[in-house]
Amino acid sequence: MSLRGLRGKAVDSTTLLPVTNFLSLFVALLAQQASPVDVLIRGGTVRDGSGAPPRVVDVGLRGDRIVFIGDAAATRVVANRTIDARGLIVAPGFIDPHSHVLAGVANANEQARHASSALMQGITTVTIGPDGRGPFDVARVLAEAERAGVGVNLYALVGFGTVRSAVMGNSSAPATAAQIDSMRALIDKAMREGAYGVGSGLFYAPQSYSSTEEVIRVVSAAKPYGGVYDTHQRDEGSYSIGLLNSVREAIRIGRESGLTTNLGHVKALGVDVWGYADSVLRLMKEARADGHMVVADQYPWTASGTGLSAALLPRWAQAGGRDSLQARIDDTQTRERILVEMRDNLRRRGGDSTLLMSNGSAAARRYIGKTLKQIAAEKGLPAVETALELIRSGRDMGVASFNMNETDIETFMRDPFVMTSSDGSDGHPRLYGTYPRKIRRYVLDKPVITMQRMVQSSSAQVADVYGIAERGALEVGYFADVIVFDPVTIRDVATYVEPERLSVGMRWVFVNGKAAVADGQLTGTMAGRSLRKAAK
Ligand SMILES: [Zn+2]
């Protein structure tokens, strides 16, 4: 596969410069004679997504396309509207490969479909299939999303978990040959309907009950179509097979399925594996040297976001679903076994003060913003018994789990095969602040990566990995997903206590040529489209 953003683009961009200029000139002359550009973004510092050094040039949009990049004055481009972008950065709209912002988009309310939290970060395209929970009825979901209207573009990964549940429910049994055939048929259909690959979440029950071989047999149904095997891997810490074996498993599944492996939200989760970032990157590098493409995406936060039960319960206790879990908790001996394992899982994550309740049902609202330690103190119970009581009473809560260290985050971030993602989900500030935070904290305040690498890892590289055509870069002829931001003021504002605060510094966000953010304000425009991967 080609990774345009990674291989020799610096060389390409100099050798191709005369051609690009010629094309721009040609298009500009056409523009002048035919019709003016709709929008001219003038004098900004253009980071085109390729990773090449910035250029101060003008960018012209007409309809839903980029039609001009160059010196507008010299080529006498006429514009209906001109934006003064001096001192601002002009970049391709960000593509978020791990997001929950449009989860259940077909049934989501209008406010959710606007995806304002994403737009104010400069995100113009998101996936709807992380963690194995993407749809299998891809054609229907994409059509309904488009009919209802969406603020950002979306693309689907068919969910291994969704497919497994449709065929096997919550069963922990191995799949029969007939069940594997049924799952493969659903994946084949989803790929024909335009999915960009398959997502899995082997950490989560019931997906966790599938063996490596079973996952390969099912997922390889996508092989004829190519694409990505994206995974919330089986173990990001020391829960079951361990982080490194889990990475090996993800690589093997991708390789044997004929799909690029993407380690979703790559991290070293928990004290037992802190310092393992180098080892994970080494395994990825070895696989690439062996001919299998392996990449990862990452969010720049030390807390992950998950559910209280996913974080603490042993998977065997969840087999069969909610009723079976309830019965196990009510059985004294089984309850003891569950508590023993929960104690170890809590230790792995860093203890009761590192779990912050972030969202939940109305009945659980009073716990939001408190740590498990605080709730346990209120109840006068040990931490794990408090957690089990919350889970038992049906109040499974979302938690922010502080389990990563900065050194691992920075090590992953510096790797040229690690992209940006938000994993944006309710109750965690990453839904509102990820991309501005990465720019503010890791590019401007403490330079861990350069601005061009930040833009590349958030746009062109994602488009290349997923095969998203004509997006992710500022090129003449590409779709006009274009952002303009202020490198002086850009920052995240959302916090763990107030996670729903919009980021600042994003001045203009164009989605398919329409301004969704104009002069720093949301316009309410829903110009997003459902993207479908073209058949090979
Ligand atoms: Zn995940």
Side-chain angles (χ1 to χ4, degrees):
M1 69 179 294
S2 100
L3 278 180
R4 176 186 55 210
L6 295 174
R7 291 197 193 123
K9 180 64 183 193
V11 177
D12 286 357
S13 64
T14 34
T15 51
L16 289 177
L17 213 54
V19 181
T20 313
N21 281 350
F22 175 75
L23 271 177
S24 304
L25 185 66
F26 180 68
V27 172
L29 286 173
L30 276 182
Q32 192 189 353
Q33 277 154 21
S35 53
V37 300
D38 297 330
V39 177
L40 184 67
I41 304 166
R42 189 147 215 173
T45 302
V46 170
R47 312 266 179 180
D48 64 8
S50 69
R55 296 177 289 160
V56 175
V57 283
D58 311 316
V59 178
L61 319 179
R62 186 187 309 115
D64 62 0
R65 301 280 178 164
I66 298 167
V67 295
F68 175 84
I69 299 177
D71 185 338
T75 42
R76 289 187 287 169
V77 172
V78 178
N80 289 331
R81 175 187 206 176
T82 299
I83 293 169
D84 181 1
R86 281 173 299 174
L88 306 178
I89 291 178
V90 184
F94 297 144
I95 303 177
D96 188 347
H98 200 109
S99 168
H100 302 274
V101 70
L102 288 183
V105 59
N107 306 311
N109 64 31
E110 185 174 330
Q111 196 197 345
R113 284 184 283 103
H114 271 289
S116 307
S117 61
L119 286 168
M120 290 302 274
Q121 299 182 60
I123 299 166
T124 55
T125 300
V126 302
T127 183
I128 54 165
D131 298 331
R133 293 172 183 149
F136 60 76
D137 47 349
V138 166
R140 180 187 69 81
V141 171
L142 294 183
E144 285 183 10
E146 216 156 31
R147 201 174 309 130
V150 276
V152 293
N153 303 310
L154 56 105
Y155 67 95
L157 300 176
V158 52
F160 171 73
T162 315
V163 163
R164 190 187 188 281
S165 295
V167 173
M168 303 178 63
N170 283 318
S171 169
S172 58
T176 64
Q179 286 171 327
I180 285 177
D181 283 347
S182 303
M183 291 191 270
R184 286 180 58 89
L186 288 173
I187 288 192
D188 180 81
K189 180 169 170 290
M191 293 303 291
R192 276 188 279 117
E193 291 175 355
Y196 286 74
V198 188
S200 83
L202 302 187
F203 173 68
Y204 295 107
Q207 299 180 63
S208 56
Y209 304 129
S210 286
S211 68
T212 311
E213 289 72 23
E214 191 175 295
V215 178
I216 292 169
R217 263 177 260 142
V218 174
V219 168
S220 60
K223 196 172 198 164
Y225 311 95
V228 177
Y229 169 67
D230 167 75
T231 184
H232 178 154
Q233 55 181 315
R234 200 180 289 277
D235 194 353
E236 297 179 308
S238 57
Y239 272 90
S240 54
I241 59 175
L243 174 59
L244 299 184
N245 282 330
S246 178
V247 171
R248 289 186 186 101
E249 180 191 41
I251 290 171
R252 186 184 154 203
I253 293 170
R255 184 195 289 126
E256 295 188 19
S257 306
L259 305 172
T260 294
T261 297
N262 181 47
L263 303 173
H265 48 53
V266 70
K267 63 172 78 74
L269 188 162
V271 289
D272 295 348
V273 294
W274 280 1
Y276 277 38
D278 279 320
S279 307
V280 170
L281 293 170
R282 197 173 319 120
L283 289 175
M284 292 169 59
K285 194 172 178 182
E286 284 167 10
R288 286 193 302 269
D290 234 23
H292 176 58
M293 182 49 74
V294 185
V295 296
D297 62 66
Q298 176 205 30
Y299 56 79
W301 304 86
T302 53
S304 65
T306 188
L308 196 56
S309 19
L312 296 179
L313 281 181
R315 290 296 170 267
W316 58 262
Q318 294 173 279
R322 178 101 225 143
D323 291 347
S324 315
L325 170 65
Q326 210 84 313
R328 290 186 188 106
I329 296 174
D330 292 341
D331 177 80
T332 320
Q333 273 187 350
T334 318
R335 179 192 166 88
E336 266 320 301
R337 279 179 57 211
I338 293 174
L339 286 170
V340 167
E341 292 200 34
M342 284 178 74
R343 244 168 248 134
D344 205 30
N345 288 342
L346 185 59
R347 178 200 63 77
R348 286 192 171 93
R349 285 190 175 255
D352 55 5
S353 61
T354 66
L355 289 185
L356 179 73
M357 305 304 136
S358 57
N359 64 324
S361 60
R365 198 120 299 167
R366 64 196 167 100
Y367 299 119
I368 294 175
K370 293 182 179 168
T371 63
L372 179 59
K373 184 178 182 153
Q374 289 170 319
I375 302 169
E378 278 175 24
K379 290 183 181 288
L381 285 173
V384 283
E385 293 196 20
T386 304
L388 192 59
E389 181 51 37
L390 287 171
I391 292 166
R392 205 200 84 88
S393 59
R395 297 189 197 120
D396 186 19
M397 308 200 55
V399 292
S401 167
F402 292 81
N403 56 47
M404 284 166 261
N405 77 27
E406 279 292 338
T407 311
D408 285 320
I409 288 175
E410 293 178 12
T411 303
F412 280 126
M413 195 178 288
R414 282 191 196 97
D415 189 273
F417 289 86
V418 176
M419 307 173 284
T420 317
S421 67
S422 72
D423 199 6
S425 57
D426 284 338
H428 191 299
R430 65 194 181 189
L431 178 63
Y432 281 74
T434 293
Y435 289 77
R437 175 182 173 89
K438 188 167 169 181
I439 295 170
R440 170 55 52 200
R441 199 177 158 99
Y442 298 98
V443 176
L444 301 173
D445 288 352
K446 177 184 182 186
V448 174
I449 54 169
T450 62
M451 186 67 90
Q452 52 243 43
R453 177 59 196 144
M454 164 62 202
V455 171
Q456 178 189 40
S457 67
S458 309
S459 57
Q461 190 173 7
V462 187
D464 278 347
V465 165
Y466 282 88
I468 298 169
E470 299 179 302
R471 296 185 192 271
L474 295 186
E475 286 187 29
V476 169
Y478 270 39
F479 286 99
D481 295 340
V482 182
I483 64 176
V484 182
F485 63 91
D486 185 343
V488 177
T489 59
I490 191 155
R491 67 188 173 93
D492 54 312
V493 185
T495 65
Y496 290 99
V497 184
E498 287 184 288
E500 297 186 356
R501 298 181 66 188
L502 293 168
S503 291
V504 298
M506 200 53 63
R507 300 287 299 278
W508 293 85
V509 177
F510 292 92
V511 180
N512 295 304
K514 298 232 164 61
V517 175
D519 214 7
Q521 302 298 318
L522 289 158
T523 65
T525 299
M526 295 213 266
R529 294 179 188 167
S530 294
L531 310 184
R532 294 163 184 87
K533 192 174 182 205
K536 262 192 172 175

